């Protein structure tokens, strides 16, 4: 039995009805958002879904009672494109959204031992292993309008959020065109850092009058690009080219030959803080060379002192097939996240 509770508005405005239904039954429906209520979408790794739902839906029912929030989860095999993660829609006050997310984050941190063991996987198949770094990440899906508020003018707001929380915050790229109305925000760090950053993001949700513009939890029928779940990932994500198994890349299972098989070339640019460029380069540039050999992508970093306008970030340009650039982005973002964590726990470590 899986509890299915909807956060979608009902035209008749019926009161919320919570019931436990089989996963293939139509979802129950809740009332439209009332004054002071907001929506937040959270990605939940499939390994954590069971402990969040609880036996017969008991845990999620209790969570709703305690927080006053309404929680809706996509069906067991209805994953966000290119991942093995379910979409969770939370409706409630800002306080309720933060409380529910704290509970979810706690369960996401509990990765089953069996899932951390690396194994060879097909790069185009959904991953069966989990990168342990996922336990330290929160992944939120927000409308483009909310994303703009999170970033702020010239990136000032997101920079302030990172400085004040100590967490690392990245947003998936915004594509040209109008198909994609959302972006994925990845927050990385220790529990308290993530909590502070997510609270700041919820504040931006409150400030955005269009924050409830994308309330779907199923992406099965979504045409065109969707926001990539990997930090700074290409927006043109589909199950075929998103490389959900990119987590295995750090184990050396993605070969240049496999990745080069994707013939189309693309160019992706990402920003890396000046003080973290050394971590990507490695001693004598060794790490950067390894990343290029492993993925088959070409990675170039702007010269020292050449920053993206209005920032202290260096420009990293990645060229190659979609699969190669995706894997390279993944490796770089994981390296940056790891280094951030090391420095957060050991402030004396610099360079």
């Amino acid at each position: 039995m899986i509890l299915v509770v909807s956060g979608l508005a009902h035209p008749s405005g019926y009161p919320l009805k919570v019931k436990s239904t089989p996963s293939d039954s139509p979802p129950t429906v809740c009332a439209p958002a009332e004054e002071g209520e907001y929506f937040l979408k959270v990605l939940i790794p499939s390994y954590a879904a069971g402990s969040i739902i609880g036996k017969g839906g008991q845990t999620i029912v209790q969570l709703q009672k305690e927080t006053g929030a309404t929680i809706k989860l996509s069906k067991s095999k209805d994953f966000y494109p290119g991942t093995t993660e379910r979409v969770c829609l939370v409706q409630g006050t800002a306080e309720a959204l933060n409380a529910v997310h704290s509970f979810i984050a706690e369960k996401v941190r509990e990765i089953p031992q069996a899932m951390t063991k690396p194994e060879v996987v097909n790069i185009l198949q959904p991953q069966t292993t989990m990168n342990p770094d996922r336990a330290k990440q929160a992944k939120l899906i927000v409308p483009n309008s909310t994303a703009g508020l999170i970033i702020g003018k010239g990136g000032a707001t997101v920079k302030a959020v990172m400085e004040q929380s100590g967490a690392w915050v990245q947003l998936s790229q915004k594509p040209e065109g109008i198909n994609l109305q959302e972006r994925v925000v990845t927050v990385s760090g220790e529990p308290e850092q993530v909590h502070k950053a997510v609270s700041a993001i919820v504040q931006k949700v409150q400030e955005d009058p269009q924050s409830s513009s994308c309330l779907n939890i199923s992406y099965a029928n979504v045409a065109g690009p969707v926001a990539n779940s990997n930090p700074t990932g290409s927006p043109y994500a589909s199950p075929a080219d998103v490389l959900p198994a990119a987590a295995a890349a750090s184990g050396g299972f993605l070969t240049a030959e496999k990745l080069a098989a994707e013939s189309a070339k693309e160019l992706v640019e990402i920003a890396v803080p000046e003080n973290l460029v050394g971590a990507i380069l490695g001693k004598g540039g060794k790490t950067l060379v390894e990343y290029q050999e492993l993925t088959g992508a070409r990675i170039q970093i702007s010269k020292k002192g050449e920053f993206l306008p209005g920032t202290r970030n260096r420009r990293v340009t990645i060229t190659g097939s979609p699969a190669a650039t995706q894997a390279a982005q993944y490796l770089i973002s994981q390296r940056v996240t790891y280094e951030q964590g090391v420095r957060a726990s050991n402030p004396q470590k610099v360079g």
Side-chain angles (χ1 to χ4, degrees):
M1 298 283 281
I2 291 180
L3 182 89
V4 186
V5 181
S6 172
L8 299 178
H10 190 284
S12 306
Y14 295 142
L16 169 65
K17 292 182 181 177
V18 179
K19 67 177 181 180
S20 185
T21 63
S23 60
D24 57 351
S25 296
T28 53
V29 176
C30 81
E34 296 176 8
E35 189 68 34
E37 288 202 338
Y38 305 93
F39 293 89
L40 187 68
K41 274 190 197 177
V42 186
L43 285 181
I44 296 178
S46 52
Y47 70 79
S51 57
I52 291 169
I53 295 167
K55 191 174 182 179
Q58 289 176 347
T59 305
I60 206 168
V61 166
Q62 185 62 30
L63 182 61
Q64 290 180 110
K65 283 180 182 175
E66 290 177 3
T67 62
T70 302
I71 304 168
K72 182 183 178 185
L73 209 60
S74 63
K75 293 181 182 180
S76 59
K77 297 296 181 184
D78 192 349
F79 298 135
Y80 187 77
T83 75
T84 52
E85 305 209 6
R86 290 164 74 175
V87 181
C88 177
L89 179 69
V90 187
Q91 175 187 349
T93 62
E95 186 181 11
L97 298 187
N98 283 318
V100 170
H101 187 271
S102 292
F103 178 85
I104 290 172
E106 194 179 307
K107 298 304 180 186
V108 169
R109 284 193 290 272
E110 299 169 2
I111 294 187
Q113 279 299 113
M115 299 197 73
T116 61
K117 296 174 183 175
E119 59 182 61
V120 178
V121 289
N122 185 312
I123 61 171
L124 297 183
Q125 294 300 317
Q127 66 196 48
T128 53
T129 53
M130 261 313 302
N131 189 306
D133 288 336
R134 178 62 179 96
K136 290 190 173 186
Q137 295 176 338
K139 289 183 181 288
L140 313 173
I141 308 173
V142 298
N144 287 341
S145 52
T146 307
L149 293 176
I150 294 168
I151 295 167
K153 192 172 183 180
T157 304
V158 73
K159 184 181 177 186
V161 169
M162 287 195 281
E163 287 175 351
Q164 289 161 17
S165 67
W168 178 246
V169 181
Q170 293 168 290
L171 285 90
S172 60
Q173 290 176 311
K174 185 177 181 181
E176 295 175 7
I178 59 171
N179 285 343
L180 178 59
Q181 301 300 324
E182 297 175 309
R183 295 171 76 172
V184 174
V185 185
T186 301
V187 182
S188 310
E190 297 305 315
E192 187 56 32
Q193 295 172 328
V194 171
H195 177 73
K196 285 181 182 176
V198 170
S199 295
I201 290 168
V202 169
Q203 175 66 39
K204 296 304 167 189
V205 169
Q206 288 178 268
E207 294 172 15
D208 180 15
Q210 300 176 57
S211 64
S212 60
S213 58
C214 303
L215 301 183
N216 60 298
I217 59 167
S218 175
Y219 287 76
N221 299 319
V222 175
V226 295
N228 196 327
S229 62
N230 281 339
T232 72
S234 162
Y236 293 90
S238 72
D241 65 15
V242 119
L243 282 198
S250 55
F253 303 128
L254 295 180
T255 65
E257 288 77 20
K258 284 180 182 177
L259 295 168
E262 301 272 335
S263 57
K265 294 283 182 183
E266 71 174 16
L267 184 148
V268 176
E269 290 184 348
I270 59 176
V272 173
E274 164 72 11
N275 65 341
L276 293 171
V277 166
I280 296 169
L281 282 169
K283 195 170 182 179
K286 187 180 176 185
T287 302
L288 190 67
V289 169
E290 285 178 356
Y291 285 179
Q292 292 185 107
E293 289 177 350
L294 182 64
T295 64
R298 186 182 182 201
I299 306 169
Q300 294 173 293
I301 302 175
S302 63
K303 294 177 183 176
K304 200 171 180 67
E306 287 185 13
F307 302 122
L308 287 164
T311 73
R312 291 280 296 171
N313 296 332
R314 301 265 286 275
R315 187 194 310 270
V316 179
T317 306
I318 306 170
T319 315
S321 70
T325 57
Q326 181 70 46
Q329 287 174 74
Y330 183 86
L331 290 174
I332 291 170
S333 68
Q334 289 302 312
R335 178 64 187 167
V336 166
T337 301
Y338 170 77
E339 193 66 22
Q340 287 274 125
V342 168
R343 295 184 189 189
S345 58
N346 183 10
Q348 284 73 40
K349 180 177 168 61
V350 293

